[in-house]
Amino acid sequence: MQKRTSWSLWALVSLLLITSCDSNAVYDDYKSVPNKWHKDSIASFNFKAPDTIDNYNLYVNLRNTNDYQFSNLFLIVELNYPNGKAVTDTLEYKMAAPNGELLGSGFSDIKENKLWYRGYKSLFKFSEHGEYLVNIQHAMRKNGDVNGVTNLEGITDIGFRVEKVQ
């Protein structure tokens, strides 16, 4: 009985620590990728602007496996404002070390990557109240190929996260 109680207490304390460390997240959502990420498949995230006063960091989150074959990742990220304005960025992220080891956190064959989108070079504020839409699409190409990679292997989940700057 003592062993069971101590295990339950350990699990409860661990859960509290995990959730308390994440208190600055305002929005955090993932979309699963079935098998391979098709070049025309867009992961969309709708969220309401928390306010127009505070500063926020925006992230693209990815989970990938050892099946991911590239050292980098190109993404097209579109941020749609409530008034209809859209800002589209083509972004490159480093996904592997020079020795080929995949970057990211995680002990299994799944790595999690938290990639900066907005807020790292200059402060980001939501300039308008209302619903925002973020669309994320991969733009990978093999060296020397004109056409993009049709089905990108190794990406299991695509996420988007908004954190209030502390």
Side-chain angles (χ1 to χ4, degrees):
M1 185 68 170
Q2 173 81 14
K3 193 179 225 182
R4 187 175 190 194
T5 303
S6 64
W7 186 88
S8 297
L9 181 62
W10 180 84
L12 179 64
V13 168
S14 297
L15 182 63
L16 288 173
L17 285 173
I18 290 170
T19 56
S20 66
C21 293
D22 203 21
S23 63
N24 55 347
V26 174
Y27 176 83
D28 194 9
D29 192 21
Y30 280 87
K31 309 289 181 186
S32 292
V33 175
N35 299 326
K36 300 174 184 176
W37 189 4
H38 192 273
K39 69 177 184 175
D40 296 330
S41 178
I42 298 172
S44 296
F45 301 91
N46 290 295
F47 62 94
K48 187 175 179 171
D51 61 53
T52 57
I53 298 168
D54 292 319
N55 295 314
Y56 291 88
N57 293 324
L58 309 182
Y59 300 95
V60 173
N61 293 330
L62 291 172
R63 292 185 184 123
N64 59 284
T65 66
N66 291 331
D67 292 332
Y68 190 76
Q69 305 171 26
F70 301 94
S71 63
N72 62 355
L73 175 68
F74 285 91
L75 297 175
I76 298 170
V77 181
E78 180 184 68
L79 177 62
N80 293 280
Y81 288 73
N83 71 358
K85 172 183 156 185
V87 177
T88 303
D89 296 298
T90 302
L91 307 168
E92 180 184 13
Y93 296 104
K94 185 176 181 181
M95 298 294 288
N99 67 359
E101 181 182 352
L102 290 173
L103 301 175
S105 61
F107 296 108
S108 68
D109 67 334
I110 296 178
K111 297 293 183 189
E112 181 140 3
N113 291 276
K114 185 176 178 181
L115 310 170
W116 281 100
Y117 173 52
R118 297 282 167 129
Y120 61 98
K121 287 186 179 176
S122 59
L123 298 175
F124 179 83
K125 284 185 183 171
F126 292 100
S127 59
E128 303 169 23
H129 290 284
E131 291 288 321
Y132 284 74
L133 171 67
V134 172
N135 294 315
I136 303 171
Q137 182 177 16
H138 86 76
M140 291 300 294
R141 288 175 169 35
K142 290 185 178 179
N143 284 338
D145 285 353
V146 175
N147 297 322
V149 174
T150 303
N151 292 302
L152 185 60
E153 295 183 45
I155 303 292
T156 61
D157 298 280
I158 307 155
F160 190 76
R161 182 179 175 94
V162 177
E163 289 183 1
K164 186 174 182 178
V165 173
Q166 297 298 321

